[in-house]
Amino acid sequence: MPRTATRRRVRTTVLAACAATAAALALAAPAAQADPSQPTPQLHAPSEPTPQIYAPPASSPQAQDRHTGPEIRRFLGWFYGEHGPTDQQREKWVSDLLKAKQRQNPDHDVILCAQNAPRNIEVGPVTVAQSAGFGWATVTAYWADGTTSTSTAYVALDSHPIELHDVVCAE
């Protein structure tokens, strides 16, 4: 067999073995992969910083403690109800940031973006941005005079207990 053909066959075999190993590592069960909470062995020269993992893996307890879109929607539907939250809900289920915002605006209800109680309230679909750490939904209030108003209600994904973090009123 000519020397060039042998080299090609060896190269093809080596490349196939590398590809098979890479595929096996990519498909390995999570338990077989490195635990990011354990120290990473030093693979770099001492002058190079070791890369850090900042986001918890999806299977970690930290990630499982984050609120989901359906949980946020249920919470906002319960919190707003048909006519707005009660005083008790405002005390227990609202962030300190939003309470401070209310203190700064005593003549305006910052949660409802109004000065009186609506006839009805609807909570729209929830958007969740894991990287931002928030979920939000549009809240529509229906008023006695036939008008509507909208606001955006924000919930921090890692708040415990779940609470209304902030509200932005539409202009």
Side-chain angles (χ1 to χ4, degrees):
M1 182 179 293
R3 200 174 197 180
T4 309
T6 304
R7 285 184 184 164
R8 259 189 248 135
R9 184 176 297 148
V10 168
R11 189 177 314 141
T12 303
T13 304
V14 169
L15 289 174
C18 289
T21 302
L25 287 173
L27 297 173
Q33 296 176 1
D35 181 358
S37 65
Q38 298 299 317
T40 305
Q42 182 70 27
L43 301 175
H44 305 283
S47 63
E48 294 180 33
T50 302
Q52 299 295 311
I53 298 173
Y54 295 103
S59 61
S60 77
Q62 215 175 1
Q64 292 172 353
D65 287 346
R66 300 190 105 183
H67 304 300
T68 65
E71 289 172 331
I72 293 169
R73 190 155 201 285
R74 279 191 303 274
F75 167 74
L76 290 173
W78 167 81
F79 180 82
Y80 278 98
E82 287 185 27
H83 307 290
T86 65
D87 289 341
Q88 182 181 9
Q89 287 170 308
R90 290 169 185 268
E91 181 56 37
K92 186 170 181 172
W93 306 99
V94 172
S95 70
D96 291 339
L97 171 91
L98 195 51
K99 289 175 185 174
K101 194 173 177 180
Q102 182 62 65
R103 283 191 299 274
Q104 293 170 356
N105 296 284
D107 298 332
H108 186 78
D109 185 343
V110 298
I111 292 173
L112 293 175
C113 297
Q115 294 179 334
N116 50 17
R119 260 192 185 175
N120 193 23
I121 298 177
E122 289 181 3
V123 175
V126 171
T127 301
V128 174
Q130 294 288 338
S131 61
F134 288 94
W136 62 89
T138 298
V139 177
T140 304
Y142 298 88
W143 304 98
D145 65 0
T147 62
T148 60
S149 64
T150 59
S151 60
T152 305
Y154 293 88
V155 172
L157 298 180
D158 58 358
S159 61
H160 291 287
I162 191 169
E163 64 183 13
L164 184 63
H165 180 74
D166 198 6
V167 175
V168 175
C169 303
E171 301 271 330

